Amino acid sequence: MPVLQLESVSGGYGETEILHGTNMVVERDQIVTIIGPNGAGKSTAMKAVFGLLNLTAGRVLLNGKDITNTPPEKVVSLGVCYVPQTANIFPNLTVQENLEMGAFVRRDDFRPRLQEIYQMFPPLWEKRRQAAGTLSGGQRQMVAMGKALMLEPEILLLDEPTAGLSPKFRGEIFQIVKDINKAGTPILMVEQNAKQSLKIADRGYVLVDGQNRYEGTGQELLSDPEVGEMFLGGGRSAAENGPSEERSSGEGTP
Ligand SMILES: Nc1ncnc2c1ncn2[C@@H]1O[C@H](COP(=O)(O)OP(=O)(O)OP(=O)(O)O)[C@@H](O)[C@H]1O
Ligand SMILES: [Mg+2]
């Protein structure tokens, strides 16, 4: 049974329908990537899972159980953790406080999990007493993922985890995503760095205008000439060579 399924999901904001019958499946051991143009509804698809959208048709299933239109706090307690595209950390709290915030719905002792997170992200241990907002873009993304992982989720949703990062940090984040998955957490992620993300994905979806345009294994999408032409930079490896800049407000880091 898949860990997560979107079955013909439609919905949007107010009167505006953004998703028009979207379908997605994440199996228990998979990394699944959603790519597509700006405004296609990729982030909206994640919000649909997380109960941040009013769905007008279709169903969202978690481990086969219907969670359509379940409010976010309930969705979290069912084991879905979501790292949004922006504002995904508390910049004025320390790294450790951020991680502890991630565990706020846990009723048990979360300290062993905290140690596991520090083992997964060694730079966070070194900077645990520093305000998270002073870290580099890549390390802030580690804080955001670590915070979500504090709950040992059934599935992790990541919205553009490598946005604004330099190629080096991008590579590191993709490696971390692979490691998290190997350690047992299924992942659904949205990515603009389409080629790199499909390389590590078991399955990919190309979302256009709120509908599935293409789908397949990561490899199938990478080798599909139409997908390559329209969504992967026409084979010129734009995804790898495009200009980039590390988005960092951490210039003043001591
Ligand atoms: N909170 C909101 N209220 C109203 N409309 C919204 C809201 N969020 C997004 N939209 C609209 O929904 C559409 C899909 O947006 P969405 O953020 O899902 O796209 P996306 O595929 O994630 O794009 P991007 O690659 O730019 O992140 C866009 O037309 C956007 O303007
Ligand atoms: Mg988005």
Side-chain angles (χ1 to χ4, degrees):
M1 183 196 295
V3 61
L4 184 70
Q5 268 174 289
L6 276 74
E7 277 183 1
S8 306
V9 164
S10 296
Y13 308 97
E15 297 292 288
T16 318
E17 187 176 283
I18 303 294
L19 301 175
H20 314 291
T22 309
N23 291 290
M24 282 170 200
V25 178
V26 183
E27 301 287 347
R28 185 149 291 289
D29 56 350
Q30 286 184 332
I31 296 174
V32 176
T33 296
I34 308 171
I35 64 169
N38 293 120
K42 304 181 299 295
S43 296
T44 304
M46 296 221 150
K47 292 182 208 166
V49 174
F50 208 64
L52 290 169
L53 211 64
N54 197 32
L55 302 185
T56 50
R59 297 197 303 167
V60 179
L61 303 176
L62 181 67
N63 294 318
K65 185 173 171 267
D66 194 334
I67 60 159
T68 314
N69 289 329
T70 303
E73 62 276 12
K74 184 81 201 300
V75 178
V76 175
S77 72
L78 293 172
V80 179
C81 284
Y82 167 56
V83 180
Q85 194 167 346
T86 53
N88 54 25
I89 58 165
F90 299 103
N92 297 325
L93 299 186
T94 65
V95 168
Q96 176 133 340
E97 285 164 348
N98 267 274
L99 297 177
E100 287 171 359
M101 288 297 281
F104 81 105
V105 297
R106 279 186 84 134
R107 291 280 163 266
D108 56 346
D109 181 6
F110 62 78
R111 281 170 299 183
R113 183 59 176 169
L114 188 59
Q115 292 315 312
E116 285 174 12
I117 299 293
Y118 282 136
Q119 275 160 20
M120 217 181 283
F121 305 101
L124 298 190
W125 170 251
E126 286 161 36
K127 306 211 163 161
R128 66 192 177 282
R129 295 197 184 89
Q130 222 168 288
T134 66
L135 270 51
S136 70
Q139 290 174 349
R140 288 208 303 272
Q141 196 58 41
M142 290 183 200
V143 173
M145 290 197 274
K147 182 155 73 75
L149 288 168
M150 283 299 290
L151 290 180
E152 303 180 58
E154 293 280 306
I155 181 165
L156 184 60
L157 310 183
L158 301 174
D159 196 345
E160 302 210 17
T162 72
L165 300 185
S166 67
K168 174 176 171 282
F169 281 108
R170 246 188 260 159
E172 265 182 42
I173 295 294
F174 282 126
Q175 185 57 49
I176 289 168
V177 168
K178 271 167 71 172
D179 292 344
I180 293 170
N181 178 252
K182 263 219 189 87
T185 308
I187 291 170
L188 176 63
M189 68 176 170
V190 169
E191 258 301 332
Q192 292 283 4
N193 295 303
K195 274 191 182 173
Q196 270 178 298
S197 67
L198 287 174
K199 274 184 197 152
I200 65 160
D202 298 291
R203 191 155 192 85
Y205 293 91
V206 182
L207 196 68
V208 180
D209 289 334
Q211 286 179 311
N212 296 27
R213 178 69 62 87
Y214 297 92
E215 62 181 88
T217 64
Q219 275 313 315
E220 282 166 356
L221 292 179
L222 281 168
S223 55
D224 183 318
E226 273 181 32
V227 173
E229 189 59 43
M230 286 192 286
F231 303 103
L232 306 176
R236 289 191 309 278
S237 73
E240 276 129 339
N241 299 332
S244 62
E245 207 179 277
E246 165 130 51
R247 187 212 287 158
S248 172
S249 61
E251 309 306 338
T253 307

